[in-house]
Amino acid sequence: MGELRLGIRLKDVRTAAGLTQAELAERVGVSRKTVNTVENGVFVPSTPLALGLARALGVKVEDLFWLED
Amino acid sequence: MGDTLEQREEKRETRNGLGRFVMGLGVSLMAAGGLMRFDGPASHPTAAVWMIGVGAPVALVGALWAWRNRAGQDARTLGASTGVVERAHRNRSIMLTLSPVFMLLFGLISIDATGKLLAGEGDNMDRLMIGAVIAYAWLGPLIVLGRGGLTASQRRLLEDELTRHHRALAVATGLVVLMAGVSAVIVVGLWRPDWGVRLAPLVMCAAGAATTLRFGWLDRKAGQDG
């Protein structure tokens, strides 16, 4: 099996919700840099953080992250 | 237009930090002068008196400046506001940017001090210098590990998933530098044992500086968009 690659739509969902990175970070309880690096695909979040981001944005985790083929 | 609360607080913190630094410099001068006076029969009396004489007013000015710029109502208001995590991260970044420069400088200075002690010519100043170098080499890695001089609330603010990820990468870099440095020191020490000992503090500082620099670089990069 090849390496699993993560698809990310965090930035689109966040901007659609009218939130800044700092505001989302505040809601989740992480730094703005954490949100920034997740959005840019530099940092892959843990399952709890992914679920926390989804909950803060009021969406399902699959709406933010998915496995790319 | 006047500064915002955050800008005012940032400037106050910088002035307070500068005051503490100047105070530390003055106290260090006084301590060094005191050690020189009591190191044998007045080994460097003029220099010792000069250091104590200059160190005392410098320490006093620094202390007054730090006290004048102590945390006040603005800090309390800001501490209770949103964005406190960002400020804690920024303060850590500033500390991490400055400390590697001093670490490497101290490491280089310690070569001479260690050499003098090994040759039996060293005094308390040299012992103090090596002690300070070793203590300072710990500072950066301790900050990276979330231990150095942080209160429990600061630690809580700074500890998140990204920090732990950056910490792992930074510690790996420091370990590589430490292993390479110790390997080199062993090889050098087989031929010139004195140089093996002389270079050891520098290796320690280099590993500490590498850890700190990598963490600081990752932290800065994480803040950039795109």
Side-chain angles (χ1 to χ4, degrees):
Chain A
M1 193 172 148
E3 193 182 341
L4 298 175
R5 292 202 324 144
L6 191 68
I8 301 164
R9 200 162 28 221
L10 179 61
K11 189 174 184 176
D12 295 341
V13 177
R14 174 182 61 78
T15 48
L19 290 174
T20 63
Q21 286 182 341
E23 286 165 343
L24 177 59
E26 195 85 29
R27 283 189 186 188
V28 183
V30 294
S31 65
R32 186 195 68 79
K33 289 174 182 176
T34 302
V35 174
N36 188 46
T37 49
V38 173
E39 283 187 355
N40 295 332
V42 174
F43 174 58
V44 177
S46 67
T47 310
L49 177 56
L51 290 166
L53 288 165
R55 186 170 64 183
L57 290 165
V59 296
K60 287 190 290 184
V61 74
E62 294 89 341
D63 296 330
L64 299 179
F65 307 103
W66 66 93
L67 282 177
E68 285 188 337
D69 295 326
Chain B
M1 205 171 106
D3 289 343
T4 62
L5 179 67
E6 189 168 340
Q7 285 167 332
R8 279 204 308 273
E9 194 48 23
E10 200 173 323
K11 285 178 184 171
R12 183 202 63 75
E13 280 174 2
T14 307
R15 288 194 299 267
N16 181 267
L18 189 66
R20 284 163 186 254
F21 176 76
V22 171
M23 184 174 68
L25 196 67
V27 170
S28 304
L29 270 174
M30 286 167 66
L35 277 171
M36 283 169 81
R37 268 190 84 77
F38 295 110
D39 189 32
S43 51
H44 314 283
T46 312
V49 169
W50 183 88
M51 285 167 90
I52 294 169
V54 172
V58 167
L60 185 67
V61 168
L64 284 173
W65 187 245
W67 182 79
R68 197 180 138 84
N69 291 290
R70 67 195 181 280
Q73 186 56 43
D74 281 358
R76 284 190 288 277
T77 307
L78 210 56
S81 71
T82 57
V84 67
V85 178
E86 300 310 315
R87 281 189 294 281
H89 275 259
R90 193 176 54 229
N91 289 342
R92 181 177 59 184
S93 287
I94 293 168
M95 286 169 79
L96 290 175
T97 310
L98 291 175
S99 63
V101 179
F102 290 107
M103 252 184 246
L104 288 173
L105 194 67
F106 284 177
L108 287 169
I109 292 170
S110 75
I111 293 175
D112 184 49
T114 316
K116 280 190 200 163
L117 282 172
L118 286 173
E121 299 163 358
D123 54 21
N124 282 339
M125 267 297 286
D126 298 312
R127 290 184 194 96
L128 181 75
M129 173 61 69
I130 293 164
V133 168
I134 291 170
Y136 202 77
W138 277 91
L139 180 66
L142 282 176
I143 295 171
V144 170
L145 293 170
R147 302 286 171 194
L150 297 172
T151 62
S153 61
Q154 283 174 322
R155 204 173 296 147
R156 211 169 33 249
L157 292 173
L158 290 168
E159 279 295 324
D160 69 0
E161 214 166 275
L162 186 67
T163 295
R164 287 192 287 272
H165 176 65
H166 286 171
R167 178 179 297 149
L169 295 172
V171 169
T173 303
L175 180 66
V176 168
V177 173
L178 187 65
M179 293 296 284
V182 171
S183 303
V185 162
I186 291 170
V187 172
V188 171
L190 288 174
W191 299 98
R192 296 282 304 270
D194 58 329
W195 270 95
V197 178
R198 288 175 84 169
L199 290 173
L202 180 63
V203 168
M204 195 177 172
C205 287
T211 307
T212 311
L213 276 174
R214 180 84 197 275
F215 190 88
W217 180 76
L218 287 167
D219 197 49
R220 264 196 305 280
K221 203 162 162 249
Q224 294 165 359
D225 294 326

